[in-house]
Structure formats: structure tokens, C-alpha cells
Amino acid sequence: MIEVKNLTFSYSKDKQALHGLDFTVKDGEIFGFLGPNGSGKSTTQKILTGILKGHGGKVILFGQDISAAHGREFYQKIGVLFEFPYLYANLSAVDNLNYFASFYPRKQRQDVGELLEMLEFKPDFLKKPVSSYSKGMRQRVSMARALVSDPRLLFLDEPTSGLDPSGAVLFRKIIEQERKKGTTVFVTTHNMLDADLLCDRVAFISNGDLAALDTPKRLKEKHSDRRVVIDYLYQGQRKTKTIETPELEAGISFAHDEIVSIHSQEPTLEDIFIQYTGRGLS
Amino acid sequence: MRKSFLALFKKDCRMLASGKFFLMAIGFLALYTAYVNLGYIRFMQMPPYNVYLYDPAGTQTERSSLVQTVPSMKAMDTALLADANGVGLDASAGDVRVVIYTGAKHVDRHRTDYALSLLHPSDSRAPAVLGRNTPKQKARKEITCELLFFELAAVGFLGIAAVLFKEKGMGVIRVHAILPLQRNLFLLSKLAVFLLSDLIFAALLTLLNVGLEDGGAVLPAVLIQTAILSLMMALVGLLCALLLKDFRQFTLAYLIIAVFAATPVFLSANTSVKFDWIGYHPFYHVYMGLKNAYFETAISPIYYVGSTAAIAFLFLAVQFAFRREIGKEV
């Protein structure tokens, strides 16, 4: 779906934002693009969505070079959720969505009412202006806007930002559903939980360079120190012991009366990101 | 493309309606019409100065009805004290003596000549009149032209910038970068809404204030000039809104345009004040184009070539600023 080869971009002569990125995103894949502020995430997404011109290297989307593919047809196939919910504040959710939907062919458009229902949007607010909505409600309308054209490729920038935990769970469920339909999803985020739970593969970007690219599971395995922490009870006392994972193969060798819990000590994605880049994600 | 344009056009109309722009335009139309018909025309028909005559012997038998007689010199002093621009004529000693509070020399001479001419109105020579307009009609056309120019150059300019600043603030301009539509349509729909609203405004203002018959006769030419000025001002408004950071910065630009750009144009076009450099002022030519349309005077084809080039140049600049805006970091 997306093929990026040696992608470079400079905002000015002495400000190179991207230093030769290489990655591919397969059809129907959820691909996470992780990096701190100013790392080149937004620049990459803007190039992929055809907003920024003048890049170096090759960017191929839908089998076509991006520089030749930013016409009407290209934009009919993509949906974009921006980091901030950009909506007309004086119009209602329904009016906003009908307006944005009107640029797509009728047969491609999803039903606005059904979309908002799926996103658990409060029905009382359907006809009220966006200016009266909470941040979470605006984010739901923005997500509906990204989905209204039933896109084949979905770009999501911080999709769960501004949502409460149940809203974040709902959004992840919807993104999963999109993938099941065959939609390819390119997620740009700081949120490690989103990346871990959603993404088939993640790429770490730092200072315009790709630091790592793999599945979250493999990245964690690769950097795990293969230890487990066991909480147990022995002679009426609660104790903790850390052992190497291979030791477990022979069973629990130390004396105990009851095992309370076993925790693997694998690192989080954020830990791995710091290991690769020396920088945190916030 | 037609459907996309219609969607944008409808949305822009809603934006303007929610910002009370149309209501404001109707309000301005009513205000201008009331000013022209109830204030300006009456004012223009008023005598320039009050003339007070003290003539105890009744020697000035021919005097105009505009001359007000006073019973004594003391009463004349009181009248002139209250009306310092007035002119007193003392005919008590045979010859008429002029009594005034002095001001600029050439104005004093004019006041004196005017006052004395009112004593013998039949002696006034009838000048050869150029053009077909009556003084009243000339005044109507002049003031309508000025008000229309002001409305297009200041009010409309402010309106389009306000709408775009709103969209810029909401961030929705960036959404249009990823929609399947030609980006120019986003700009063209705004220009179309303002052009249409300005054309309707110009037609109503002209017909209501110049009159149905005379207004109708000049309307096609006035609408062409309105379209030129409207497009130019809308494009300048869009450019300012795209380049400037916030509405406060825009207010400063607005003041510069309204005060420093428009004032010398009005002075040069409507008074005897002439600046050597006024020929280089683009607003002067646009204003004169509008004035020539009202007075049915021929307009040079060079002016049309220049206007078209200016509009094309401004459109390219707006297009560039628009592309820059949608690619900006948040």
C-alpha cells in the first residue's frame, strides 16, 4: 500500500527534517509511526497525504508515485484524522459531516447518522453547533469525518487524544473493524498503549531517522532481559523472587507454599524507544 | 467540480450568515440610503453662507429671498457672533458695507462676492452648463460613488478577512488540503460569494440613491467597476488573512489601507487638492473608474488591462499563501 524509499525533506537549507526513511506498509496493516515532537512524524504524514511537496526519494501509494497521485482520485481513497479536531464550530456535527461528505461520490459515502451512532455520539448534540461540544465529542466527529468516505487508507494522528478510557477503547475497536474491512491504517502517536494494542508493526522515528521497525511483540522480546518476578507465600510470609525465564522450564525450584503472581519483566515500547533513540516520547 | 463548488459556496454563505455579514450589509445599505436622501442631498441644497442685511431705509429692493434682514446693527453683531461663517451687509449709510469674521483670504472673498450677489440676483450671469446632470443628480451620483467605494474597499475587505480568520482559527483550511477537490475552488467560492453580495449591494445602492431611471442607465458600467474593485479587495483581504498571524495584526493593516491609502484618493478625486504622485496610486485609478462609470465617461482600455493583470497577480499571491498555510505545522 505504502512504499517509502530514501525519503528526505528539508524545510530550509540548514533544516533537514527527514534523513532518508525506508519503510513499507502492507495492505490491511495497522502501521504505527512513533516519535517525539519534532522528530519528523508530521512531516512524513504530510508527504504521504500529498500536502507537502518537494521531498527527495520515492514515495509510492496505491502503486503510484505520490508526486503524480495527488489528484481527486487519490484523495477519494484516503481518510485523515488530524491531531486536532478541525471542524466548523458554527455548524452541527451532522452539517459538518454532510459538508465534508459532499466532496466524495455518493456511492462511496457512509451514512452520517450510522457513523455517529457507531461512534456513540450523544444524540442530543446532533444538531447543536460544534462550539458546544466537549473535546471528546469533537474527536468523535473528526473520526466520523475521516471515515465518512469509506477510505482504503486511513491516516490517524493521535486518534485517542482527548478521549476518556471508554472512548479510547471504542476507537481502538473501530480501528480494528476498519482493518477487518481491509483498510490500511497509518497511525502517528505518542500513545504507547495504542501502539501496543493496535499496531501490527511500529516504526520509531527520531531526528528524522528511522531507529527501529518491527512488531511490538518482537521489539519487546528482543529487548527483554528474560526475567520473571514471582510473588509467593512461604511459611505465612509474602516474598518476591526474580528468576531467569529459562529456569522456569524446570518448574519452580524454590520452596514456597503458594504462588501469588508471576510478572514477566519485558520492557514497554517506551523503554525500547528510549533505548534506541536516547529520547522519551513526550 | 460543479458540485464541489456549490458545496463550498453554500458553506461560505452559511459562514457569512452566521457572522451576520448579510445583516450588516443590509444595515449599511439602509444607513447610506437614509444619509443620502435625508441628509446629504438636503445639505448640498442649503445656501453656503447665511447673509444678514441691515437696511433701515429699505434701499435694497431687489434682494434675494436668501437674505435675512436684521432690525439693528446690534442684532447683526449677535447673529454673526452665533454664526461666524455668516456675512453681514450694512446698508444703513447708503453704500453697502460688508461685515465678517475673517478667515482664509480667498474664502473671505468668496463669502463677500456671494453675499453681494444676493442683493442683485438678476445680475448673475448664467454659466454654460457642461454635462447632462442636474446639480442634485450630480450630488447623488458623487455621494453614491463615494459610499460604494468605501463599502467595497473597507467593509467588504474586512468581511472576507474576518471569515478567513475564523476558518484559519478553526483549522478547517487544512482539512480542505486532503479533500478530493481542486484547491483553487476554496478560494474561488469565497470570491464568488463576496462578488455576488457586492454586485447586489452596488445595484441596490445605485438604484435607491441615483434613481431607477438614471441609476438603471449607469448600472451596467457601475457593476463592471464594482466587480473589479470587489475582486481586488477580496483578494487583498484573503492575502492579509493568510499572511497575518491574527486579527489584531490585520486591524493595523486595515487602518493603513483605510486611512493612508483611501484618504489621498478621496481628496484628489473630489476636491481641488492634487498630489503629483496620485497617478501612481492604484486606488485612485479604481476610484476614478467607478466615478467615470457613474458619470458615463469613457474609460481607457489600459485601465482594464492593468486591472486584469492586478487581479491575476493577486490571485497567484493568494494561491501561494494558501498552499503555504495548509502545509504549515500546527
Side-chain angles (χ1 to χ4, degrees), chain A residues 181-243:
Chain A
K181 272 166 55 183
T183 311
T184 306
V185 186
F186 188 91
V187 187
T188 311
T189 185
H190 285 126
N191 189 318
M192 288 299 110
L193 188 66
D194 282 349
D196 208 352
L197 294 175
L198 275 174
C199 299
D200 298 313
R201 286 187 306 148
V202 292
F204 292 158
I205 181 169
S206 175
N207 295 325
D209 283 310
L210 219 55
L213 196 168
D214 212 331
T215 65
K217 197 177 169 192
R218 269 208 294 269
L219 281 170
K220 284 189 279 187
E221 278 173 6
K222 234 186 268 176
H223 295 85
S224 166
D225 54 9
R226 293 164 193 272
R227 284 181 187 170
V228 290
V229 176
I230 302 171
D231 283 340
Y232 62 100
L233 295 174
Y234 183 58
Q235 292 178 340
Q237 278 191 314
R238 190 183 173 115
K239 295 185 173 181
T240 300
K241 199 170 179 75
T242 303
I243 62 168

Side-chain angles (χ1 to χ4, degrees), chain B:
Chain B
M1 196 164 119
R2 192 176 55 87
K3 267 173 75 182
S4 299
F5 182 78
L6 282 177
L8 284 160
F9 187 82
K10 207 172 123 190
K11 180 266 303 170
D12 283 330
C13 286
R14 286 186 75 168
M15 287 287 291
L16 283 172
S18 78
K20 313 272 187 295
F21 179 83
F22 295 127
L23 211 64
M24 210 168 74
I26 293 169
F28 273 112
L29 183 69
L31 190 74
Y32 293 155
T33 305
Y35 171 68
V36 172
N37 291 288
L38 304 175
Y40 186 79
I41 297 301
R42 284 187 187 183
F43 172 74
M44 292 303 281
Q45 285 171 325
M46 297 277 279
Y49 313 108
N50 288 315
V51 177
Y52 306 98
L53 173 68
Y54 175 55
D55 184 16
T59 55
Q60 305 301 318
T61 50
E62 266 188 70
R63 69 171 186 267
S64 154
S65 60
L66 292 171
V67 175
Q68 303 169 43
T69 53
V70 288
S72 64
M73 277 308 287
K74 199 178 171 196
M76 185 189 286
D77 286 348
T78 311
L80 290 177
L81 199 63
D83 175 13
N85 283 321
V87 184
L89 299 174
D90 175 14
S92 59
D95 280 348
V96 178
R97 191 171 60 99
V98 179
V99 185
I100 56 171
Y101 282 99
T102 55
K105 211 172 176 180
H106 59 283
V107 178
D108 288 350
R109 190 169 295 158
H110 180 254
R111 289 161 72 195
T112 306
D113 289 347
Y114 168 72
L116 290 172
S117 76
L118 291 185
L119 295 180
H120 306 284
S122 57
D123 287 355
S124 299
R125 283 190 215 160
V129 177
L130 300 175
R132 286 183 285 114
N133 293 299
T134 61
K136 199 172 168 185
Q137 201 56 2
K138 185 173 170 281
R140 280 183 175 279
K141 285 184 176 180
E142 259 174 10
I143 190 65
T144 307
C145 175
E146 279 168 33
L147 291 173
L148 180 59
F149 183 80
F150 175 75
E151 172 71 20
L152 299 177
V155 183
F157 168 64
L158 191 69
I160 198 162
V163 168
L164 202 68
F165 266 117
K166 228 187 216 179
E167 289 195 309
K168 202 173 155 184
M170 292 187 283
V172 284
I173 290 180
R174 288 181 194 130
V175 180
H176 291 84
I178 50 96
L179 292 176
L181 85 153
Q182 268 195 1
R183 287 176 192 170
N184 281 344
L185 289 183
F186 182 83
L187 302 171
L188 289 173
S189 85
K190 282 187 175 36
L191 292 178
V193 173
F194 276 88
L195 180 62
L196 195 66
S197 125
D198 283 346
L199 289 176
I200 293 170
F201 187 92
L204 290 174
L205 190 76
T206 305
L207 294 174
L208 288 171
N209 295 299
V210 180
L212 284 178
E213 200 180 315
D214 283 1
V218 299
L219 198 55
V222 168
L223 291 182
I224 291 172
Q225 298 309 315
T226 300
I228 291 171
L229 181 57
S230 171
L231 285 173
M232 280 183 183
M233 291 317 298
L235 285 165
V236 174
L238 284 174
L239 195 62
C240 287
L242 286 166
L243 294 179
L244 299 175
K245 205 176 149 199
D246 51 32
F247 205 71
R248 205 183 302 167
Q249 280 188 1
F250 173 77
T251 316
L252 190 69
Y254 177 76
L255 274 178
I256 291 169
I257 289 174
V259 177
F260 296 106
T263 309
V265 170
F266 277 130
L267 280 174
S268 291
N270 297 327
T271 68
S272 54
V273 177
K274 287 282 173 267
F275 300 107
D276 293 340
W277 46 266
I278 202 72
Y280 301 105
H281 198 311
F283 277 76
Y284 177 73
H285 298 287
V286 181
Y287 180 75
M288 287 312 290
L290 194 60
K291 198 168 176 179
N292 286 335
Y294 272 104
F295 287 92
E296 297 168 90
T297 313
I299 300 168
S300 158
I302 298 168
Y303 163 75
Y304 288 108
V305 173
S307 305
T308 312
I311 290 169
F313 172 76
L314 282 169
F315 188 78
L316 288 175
V318 169
Q319 209 179 26
F320 175 77
F322 179 63
R323 284 176 199 277
R324 190 172 148 264
E325 174 62 28
I326 57 179
K328 251 188 196 170
E329 291 286 337
V330 180

Side-chain angles (χ1 to χ4, degrees), chain A residues 11 42-43 46 49-53 71-72 75-76 78 80 82-91 95-96 99-100 102-104 106 109 145, chain B residues 1 3-5 7-8 11-12 14-15 18 166-167 170-183 186 190 323 326-330:
Chain A
Y11 284 101
S42 298
T43 305
K46 278 179 189 164
T49 50
I51 296 174
L52 269 188
K53 310 260 183 289
R72 212 176 142 79
Y75 286 110
Q76 278 176 3
I78 69 165
V80 181
F82 292 92
E83 187 180 355
F84 299 102
Y86 297 141
L87 298 162
Y88 281 98
N90 56 321
L91 303 183
D95 288 341
N96 262 286
Y99 167 66
F100 288 117
S102 65
F103 296 103
Y104 298 92
R106 198 172 288 273
R109 290 182 221 165
R145 187 184 51 68
Chain B
M1 196 164 119
K3 267 173 75 182
S4 299
F5 182 78
L8 284 160
K11 180 266 303 170
D12 283 330
R14 286 186 75 168
M15 287 287 291
S18 78
K166 228 187 216 179
E167 289 195 309
M170 292 187 283
V172 284
I173 290 180
R174 288 181 194 130
V175 180
H176 291 84
I178 50 96
L179 292 176
L181 85 153
Q182 268 195 1
R183 287 176 192 170
F186 182 83
K190 282 187 175 36
R323 284 176 199 277
I326 57 179
K328 251 188 196 170
E329 291 286 337
V330 180

